[in-house]
Amino acid sequence: MAVPTRTLNDGVSIPAIGFGTNSLRGDAGLGAIRSALECGYRLIDCAVNSRNEVEVGRSVREFLRATETPRDEIFVQTKIPGHLHDSKKALDAYQISLELLGLERIDVLLLHSPNFMAGKYRDAWRTLVDLRQSGAVRSIGVSNFTAQSISEIILSTGITPAVHQMELHPWHAQERLRAENARLGIVTQSWSPRGSGDPQNDTAPVVSAATAHGVTPDQVILRWHLQLGNIPLPMSMTPSERCEHLSVFGFELSEAEMAAISSLSGPGANTFGSG
Ligand SMILES: NC(=O)c1ccc[n+]([C@@H]2O[C@H](COP(=O)([O-])OP(=O)(O)OC[C@H]3O[C@@H](n4cnc5c(N)ncnc54)[C@H](OP(=O)(O)O)[C@@H]3O)[C@@H](O)[C@H]2O)c1
């Protein structure tokens, strides 16, 4: 199944939904990532912090070899952690990620969770800008930044991130930061798009929309992300769920259903519990 795409502010079109790989390591990880590619995922998210770039790269290489899928169809996305945010360390981290992935190119490279104390994320951003300008990566962006830190990196380089990946789900809808991303022409990516499975207080609007459309609650939540304009990055250990999560382009939530799901958002429902 072909996944629709979104065009980023740098002109690159990337898949409208991606596969998260946070805890996928070893043989189980290889199998899960490979099966996600077989279902049709073409955007695979990982990170230095996830310690699974080897598994991601190997799964992608094996899939490309076995299926003769053109390399350009697949977007491998990784992230440089905050403690490596300075110009030289970011460049070294990029090279190590490239080696671990074993690919000729990283497609999307993000700065992960800035270290505000060290304050070197502006320098690291300059490195990413240079990598993109040299054609080494297709698109660049950030993850877990604030509106202020995004504005600083734009001011210091004149280049706006193409994507901002942040925690986002119906219980933590991040309306203000999403609006700021949209104002700047940045595409929002949602991590933990299903809320990472935490027990949630009220799923009634999700369940009732699922019944109305004959789909699962997960599909409703992922559709909510898509209609908000976000790129969700679900991850599942269950093979059938992985494929099911891609089947979210054949129904549409009404305005009332969207509003009811958005109204679930409230303070304290994010992973780090800070509001
Ligand atoms: N940038 C960052 O700082 C950051 C942080 C965290 C994650 N991420 C990225 O975002 C991706 C997605 O985040 P995520 O892994 O938290 O995605 P998710 O799809 O929201 O949740 C995945 C995990 O939660 C479980 N889960 C979700 N909903 C559930 C439910 N209703 N009932 C029971 N279990 C449920 C899943 O179980 P099953 O396996 O059984 O489905 C799976 O183990 C990650 O894999 C990673 O690539 C980025």
Side-chain angles (χ1 to χ4, degrees):
M1 159 210 213
V3 171
T5 55
R6 299 281 312 275
T7 303
L8 304 179
N9 62 17
D10 55 13
V12 173
S13 290
I14 73 167
I17 183 168
F19 185 63
T21 64
N22 208 8
S23 55
L24 300 179
R25 285 183 276 278
D27 285 344
L30 283 169
I33 299 160
R34 175 69 190 262
S35 92
L37 288 161
E38 280 160 3
C39 283
Y41 287 93
R42 291 293 177 267
L43 168 62
I44 307 291
D45 180 63
C46 65
V48 169
N49 283 348
S50 302
R51 291 175 286 111
N52 62 359
E53 289 170 310
V54 168
E55 285 90 338
V56 167
R58 189 171 143 198
S59 307
V60 168
R61 288 196 312 276
E62 288 177 357
F63 177 76
L64 290 173
R65 235 189 341 263
T67 60
E68 296 182 13
T69 301
R71 170 66 181 88
D72 278 358
E73 269 186 27
I74 299 194
F75 288 75
V76 173
Q77 170 170 287
T78 192
K79 319 182 193 82
I80 299 177
H83 70 278
L84 299 176
H85 288 183
D86 84 11
S87 356
K88 170 80 169 68
K89 286 182 186 161
L91 185 60
D92 292 345
Y94 152 77
Q95 275 156 348
I96 292 170
S97 289
L98 195 60
E99 258 174 54
L100 291 174
L101 287 162
L103 298 167
E104 81 301 337
R105 181 186 65 217
I106 290 169
D107 300 287
V108 186
L109 186 59
L110 309 182
L111 289 185
H112 200 175
S113 305
N115 179 338
F116 294 110
M117 298 295 278
K120 299 272 194 73
Y121 47 86
R122 293 176 216 81
D123 303 337
W125 182 244
R126 165 56 67 193
T127 298
L128 264 58
V129 168
D130 292 345
L131 284 169
R132 198 198 74 192
Q133 280 169 353
S134 71
V137 298
R138 289 208 258 184
S139 294
I140 54 176
V142 295
S143 174
N144 304 333
F145 270 51
T146 57
Q148 171 69 29
S149 50
I150 290 180
S151 125
E152 288 170 19
I153 61 172
I154 297 173
L155 262 178
S156 70
T157 59
I159 302 293
T160 303
V163 302
H164 184 188
Q165 184 185 126
M166 52 201 219
E167 180 173 6
L168 209 162
H169 43 77
W171 299 274
H172 185 57
Q174 300 244 44
E175 202 171 328
R176 283 227 304 269
L177 201 44
R178 262 193 300 116
E180 182 61 2
N181 290 343
R183 187 184 75 78
L184 293 167
I186 300 171
V187 167
T188 299
Q189 290 185 345
S190 315
W191 65 259
S192 284
R194 298 180 290 153
S196 241
D198 287 341
Q200 305 293 350
N201 292 335
D202 180 11
T203 52
V206 175
V207 172
S208 89
T211 308
H213 294 277
V215 296
T216 66
D218 278 0
Q219 287 171 316
V220 165
I221 291 175
L222 295 171
R223 183 71 208 178
W224 173 83
H225 285 279
L226 293 169
Q227 288 184 216
L228 286 180
N230 310 330
I231 296 181
L233 302 168
M235 188 282 280
S236 179
M237 293 307 292
T238 314
S240 57
E241 271 186 14
R242 277 177 220 134
C243 295
E244 176 193 288
H245 291 162
L246 275 185
S247 291
V248 285
F249 298 97
F251 67 100
E252 182 142 356
L253 300 172
S254 68
E255 268 182 43
E257 287 167 334
M258 287 293 291
I261 297 166
S262 296
S263 75
L264 294 172
S265 191
N270 57 329
T271 298
F272 303 110
S274 56

